Coordinates of all heavy atoms in Angstrom, one line a residue:
L1 N 78.5 141.1 3.0 CA 77.2 140.5 2.9 C 77.1 139.3 2.0 O 77.8 139.3 0.9 CB 76.1 141.6 2.5 CG 76.1 142.9 3.2 CD1 75.0 143.7 2.7 CD2 75.9 142.6 4.7
S2 N 76.4 138.3 2.3 CA 76.2 137.2 1.5 C 74.7 137.0 1.1 O 73.8 137.4 2.0 CB 76.7 135.9 2.1 OG 78.1 136.0 2.4
C3 N 74.4 136.5 0.1 CA 73.0 136.1 -0.3 C 73.1 134.7 -1.0 O 73.6 134.6 -2.1 CB 72.5 137.2 -1.3 SG 70.9 136.8 -2.1
T4 N 72.4 133.8 -0.3 CA 72.4 132.4 -0.8 C 71.1 132.1 -1.5 O 70.0 132.4 -1.0 CB 72.6 131.4 0.3 OG1 73.9 131.7 1.0 CG2 72.7 130.0 -0.2
A5 N 71.1 131.6 -2.7 CA 70.0 131.3 -3.5 C 69.7 129.8 -3.5 O 70.5 129.0 -3.4 CB 70.2 131.8 -4.9
S6 N 68.4 129.5 -3.6 CA 67.9 128.1 -3.7 C 66.6 128.0 -4.5 O 65.9 129.0 -4.7 CB 67.7 127.5 -2.3 OG 66.6 128.1 -1.7
G7 N 66.4 126.9 -5.0 CA 65.1 126.7 -5.7 C 65.1 126.7 -7.2 O 64.2 126.2 -7.9
R8 N 66.1 127.5 -7.7 CA 66.1 127.6 -9.2 C 67.6 127.7 -9.6 O 68.5 127.8 -8.7 CB 65.4 128.8 -9.7 CG 63.9 128.8 -9.6 CD 63.3 127.8 -10.6 NE 61.9 127.8 -10.7 CZ 61.2 127.0 -10.0 NH1 61.6 126.2 -9.1 NH2 59.8 127.1 -10.0
T9 N 67.9 127.6 -10.9 CA 69.3 127.7 -11.3 C 69.9 129.1 -11.1 O 69.5 130.0 -11.9 CB 69.4 127.2 -12.8 OG1 68.8 125.9 -13.0 CG2 70.8 127.2 -13.2
F10 N 70.7 129.2 -10.2 CA 71.4 130.5 -9.9 C 71.9 131.2 -11.0 O 71.9 132.4 -11.2 CB 72.3 130.3 -8.7 CG 73.0 131.6 -8.2 CD1 72.2 132.6 -7.6 CD2 74.4 131.7 -8.4 CE1 72.9 133.7 -7.1 CE2 75.0 132.9 -7.9 CZ 74.2 133.8 -7.3
T11 N 72.6 130.4 -11.9 CA 73.3 131.0 -13.0 C 72.4 131.6 -14.1 O 73.0 132.4 -14.9 CB 74.2 129.9 -13.7 OG1 73.3 128.8 -14.0 CG2 75.3 129.4 -12.8
N12 N 71.1 131.4 -14.0 CA 70.2 132.1 -14.9 C 69.8 133.4 -14.5 O 69.0 134.2 -15.2 CB 69.0 131.3 -15.1 CG 69.2 130.0 -15.8 OD1 70.2 129.9 -16.7 ND2 68.4 129.0 -15.8
Y13 N 70.3 133.9 -13.4 CA 69.8 135.2 -12.8 C 70.8 136.3 -12.7 O 71.9 136.1 -12.2 CB 69.2 134.9 -11.4 CG 67.9 134.1 -11.3 CD1 68.0 132.7 -11.4 CD2 66.7 134.8 -11.3 CE1 66.8 132.0 -11.4 CE2 65.5 134.0 -11.3 CZ 65.6 132.7 -11.4 OH 64.4 132.0 -11.4
A14 N 70.4 137.4 -13.2 CA 71.2 138.6 -12.9 C 70.9 139.0 -11.4 O 69.7 138.9 -11.0 CB 70.9 139.8 -13.8
M15 N 71.8 139.4 -10.7 CA 71.7 139.7 -9.3 C 72.0 141.1 -8.9 O 72.9 141.8 -9.5 CB 72.6 138.8 -8.5 CG 72.3 137.3 -8.7 SD 70.7 136.8 -8.2 CE 70.7 137.1 -6.4
N16 N 71.3 141.7 -7.9 CA 71.5 143.1 -7.5 C 71.5 143.1 -5.9 O 71.0 142.2 -5.3 CB 70.3 143.9 -7.9 CG 70.6 144.7 -9.1 OD1 71.3 144.2 -10.0 ND2 70.0 145.9 -9.2
W17 N 72.1 144.2 -5.5 CA 71.9 144.6 -4.1 C 71.2 145.9 -4.1 O 71.6 146.9 -4.9 CB 73.3 144.8 -3.4 CG 73.9 143.5 -3.1 CD1 74.9 142.8 -3.7 CD2 73.6 142.6 -2.0 NE1 75.3 141.7 -3.2 CE2 74.6 141.5 -2.0 CE3 72.8 142.7 -0.9 CZ2 74.5 140.4 -1.2 CZ3 72.7 141.6 0.1 CH2 73.6 140.5 -0.1
F18 N 70.2 146.1 -3.3 CA 69.5 147.4 -3.1 C 69.6 147.6 -1.6 O 70.0 146.7 -0.8 CB 68.0 147.2 -3.5 CG 67.8 147.1 -4.9 CD1 67.7 145.9 -5.5 CD2 67.6 148.3 -5.7 CE1 67.5 145.8 -6.9 CE2 67.3 148.2 -7.0 CZ 67.3 146.9 -7.6
R19 N 69.3 148.8 -1.1 CA 69.3 149.1 0.3 C 68.1 150.2 0.5 O 67.7 150.9 -0.4 CB 70.6 149.6 0.8 CG 71.0 151.0 0.2 CD 72.4 151.4 0.6 NE 72.8 152.7 0.1 CZ 74.0 153.2 0.2 NH1 75.0 152.6 0.9 NH2 74.3 154.4 -0.2
Q20 N 67.7 150.1 1.7 CA 66.6 151.1 2.1 C 66.9 151.6 3.5 O 66.9 150.8 4.5 CB 65.3 150.4 2.0 CG 64.1 151.4 2.3 CD 62.7 150.7 1.8 OE1 62.6 149.5 1.7 NE2 61.8 151.6 1.6
A21 N 67.2 152.9 3.6 CA 67.3 153.5 4.9 C 66.0 153.9 5.4 O 65.0 154.0 4.7 CB 68.2 154.7 4.7
S22 N 65.9 154.1 6.8 CA 64.7 154.4 7.4 C 64.1 155.6 6.9 O 64.7 156.7 6.8 CB 64.9 154.5 8.9 OG 63.8 154.8 9.6
G23 N 62.8 155.6 6.5 CA 62.1 156.7 5.9 C 62.4 157.1 4.5 O 62.0 158.2 4.0
K24 N 63.3 156.3 3.8 CA 63.6 156.6 2.4 C 63.2 155.5 1.5 O 62.9 154.3 2.0 CB 65.2 156.8 2.4 CG 65.7 158.0 3.2 CD 67.1 158.2 2.9 CE 67.7 159.5 3.6 NZ 69.1 159.7 3.4
E25 N 63.2 155.7 0.2 CA 62.9 154.8 -0.8 C 64.1 153.8 -1.0 O 65.3 154.1 -0.7 CB 62.6 155.4 -2.1 CG 61.3 156.3 -2.0 CD 60.9 156.8 -3.4 OE1 61.6 156.6 -4.4 OE2 59.8 157.4 -3.5
R26 N 63.7 152.6 -1.5 CA 64.7 151.6 -1.8 C 65.6 152.1 -2.9 O 65.1 152.7 -3.9 CB 64.1 150.3 -2.1 CG 65.0 149.1 -2.2 CD 64.2 147.8 -2.1 NE 63.4 147.6 -0.9 CZ 62.8 146.5 -0.6 NH1 62.8 145.5 -1.4 NH2 62.1 146.5 0.5
E27 N 66.9 152.0 -2.8 CA 67.8 152.5 -3.8 C 68.7 151.4 -4.3 O 69.1 150.5 -3.5 CB 68.5 153.7 -3.3 CG 69.5 153.4 -2.2 CD 70.3 154.6 -1.9 OE1 70.2 155.7 -2.4 OE2 71.3 154.5 -0.9
F28 N 69.2 151.6 -5.5 CA 70.1 150.7 -6.1 C 71.5 150.8 -5.5 O 71.9 151.9 -5.2 CB 70.2 150.9 -7.7 CG 71.4 150.4 -8.3 CD1 71.4 149.0 -8.6 CD2 72.4 151.1 -8.7 CE1 72.5 148.4 -9.3 CE2 73.5 150.6 -9.4 CZ 73.5 149.2 -9.7
V29 N 72.2 149.7 -5.3 CA 73.6 149.7 -4.8 C 74.5 149.1 -5.8 O 75.5 149.8 -6.2 CB 73.7 148.9 -3.5 CG1 75.1 148.8 -3.0 CG2 72.7 149.5 -2.5
A30 N 74.3 147.9 -6.3 CA 75.2 147.2 -7.2 C 74.5 146.1 -7.9 O 73.6 145.5 -7.4 CB 76.4 146.7 -6.5
A31 N 75.0 145.8 -9.1 CA 74.4 144.7 -10.0 C 75.5 143.9 -10.6 O 76.6 144.5 -10.9 CB 73.5 145.4 -11.1
I32 N 75.2 142.6 -10.9 CA 76.1 141.8 -11.6 C 75.3 141.0 -12.6 O 74.2 140.6 -12.3 CB 76.9 140.9 -10.6 CG1 78.0 140.1 -11.3 CG2 76.0 140.0 -9.9 CD1 79.1 139.5 -10.4
S33 N 75.9 140.8 -13.8 CA 75.2 140.1 -14.9 C 75.1 138.6 -14.6 O 75.7 138.0 -13.7 CB 76.0 140.4 -16.2 OG 77.3 139.8 -16.1
W34 N 74.2 138.0 -15.4 CA 74.0 136.6 -15.2 C 74.9 135.7 -15.9 O 75.1 134.5 -15.6 CB 72.5 136.2 -15.5 CG 72.2 136.2 -16.9 CD1 71.9 137.4 -17.7 CD2 72.1 135.2 -17.9 NE1 71.7 137.1 -19.0 CE2 71.8 135.7 -19.2 CE3 72.3 133.8 -17.8 CZ2 71.6 135.0 -20.3 CZ3 72.2 133.0 -18.9 CH2 71.8 133.6 -20.2
V35 N 75.6 136.3 -16.9 CA 76.6 135.5 -17.7 C 77.9 136.4 -17.9 O 77.7 137.7 -18.0 CB 75.9 135.1 -19.0 CG1 75.6 136.3 -19.9 CG2 76.9 134.2 -19.7
A36 N 79.0 135.7 -17.9 CA 80.2 136.4 -18.2 C 80.4 136.6 -19.7 O 80.5 135.6 -20.5 CB 81.4 135.7 -17.6
L37 N 80.3 137.8 -20.2 CA 80.3 138.0 -21.7 C 81.6 138.3 -22.3 O 81.8 138.4 -23.4 CB 79.3 139.2 -22.0 CG 77.9 138.9 -21.7 CD1 77.0 140.2 -21.9 CD2 77.3 137.8 -22.4
S38 N 82.6 138.4 -21.4 CA 83.9 138.9 -21.9 C 85.0 138.1 -21.0 O 84.7 137.5 -20.0 CB 84.2 140.4 -21.9 OG 84.2 140.8 -20.5
R39 N 86.3 138.3 -21.5 CA 87.3 137.7 -20.7 C 87.5 138.3 -19.4 O 88.1 137.6 -18.5 CB 88.7 137.8 -21.6 CG 88.6 136.9 -22.8 CD 90.0 137.1 -23.5 NE 90.0 136.2 -24.7 CZ 91.1 136.1 -25.5 NH1 92.2 136.8 -25.2 NH2 91.1 135.4 -26.6
S40 N 87.0 139.5 -19.3 CA 87.1 140.2 -18.0 C 86.1 139.8 -17.0 O 86.1 140.2 -15.8 CB 87.1 141.7 -18.2 OG 85.8 142.0 -18.8
G41 N 85.2 138.9 -17.4 CA 84.3 138.3 -16.5 C 82.9 138.9 -16.5 O 82.5 139.4 -17.6
Y42 N 82.2 138.9 -15.5 CA 80.8 139.5 -15.4 C 80.8 141.0 -15.5 O 81.7 141.6 -15.0 CB 80.2 139.0 -14.0 CG 80.0 137.5 -14.0 CD1 80.9 136.7 -13.3 CD2 78.8 136.9 -14.5 CE1 80.8 135.4 -13.2 CE2 78.6 135.6 -14.3 CZ 79.6 134.8 -13.8 OH 79.5 133.4 -13.7
S43 N 79.8 141.5 -16.1 CA 79.5 142.9 -16.0 C 79.0 143.3 -14.7 O 78.2 142.6 -14.1 CB 78.5 143.3 -17.1 OG 79.0 142.9 -18.4
K44 N 79.4 144.5 -14.3 CA 79.1 145.0 -12.9 C 78.6 146.5 -13.1 O 79.2 147.3 -13.9 CB 80.1 144.9 -11.9 CG 80.6 143.4 -11.8 CD 81.8 143.3 -10.8 CE 82.2 141.8 -10.7 NZ 83.4 141.7 -9.8
L45 N 77.7 146.9 -12.2 CA 77.3 148.3 -12.1 C 77.3 148.7 -10.7 O 77.0 147.8 -9.8 CB 75.9 148.5 -12.7 CG 75.6 148.4 -14.2 CD1 74.1 148.5 -14.5 CD2 76.4 149.6 -14.9
Y46 N 77.6 149.9 -10.4 CA 77.6 150.5 -9.0 C 76.9 151.8 -9.0 O 77.1 152.6 -9.9 CB 79.0 150.6 -8.5 CG 79.7 149.3 -8.3 CD1 80.6 148.8 -9.4 CD2 79.6 148.5 -7.2 CE1 81.3 147.6 -9.1 CE2 80.2 147.2 -7.0 CZ 81.1 146.8 -8.0 OH 81.7 145.6 -7.9

């Protein structure tokens, strides 16, 4: 999946993927930080 951003500075935003199955609540899938804080790069959650 791709998500293309426009209108503001993309690098200022932490970004997430959520999903919603039919008849269910929206749920968290994955997140990535807005800045790389370490040599290993961006922080990520799943």
Side-chain angles (χ1 to χ4, degrees):
L1 305 183
S2 300
C3 171
T4 302
S6 62
R8 290 290 186 268
T9 304
F10 181 65
T11 52
N12 287 339
Y13 289 84
M15 301 296 297
N16 261 35
W17 288 99
F18 291 89
R19 67 186 181 187
Q20 188 166 17
S22 180
K24 296 186 177 180
E25 293 187 353
R26 193 165 298 188
E27 65 174 3
F28 166 73
V29 176
I32 188 167
S33 61
W34 68 280
V35 64
L37 297 176
S38 68
R39 292 183 179 180
S40 59
Y42 295 93
S43 296
K44 301 176 183 179
L45 288 175
Y46 295 96

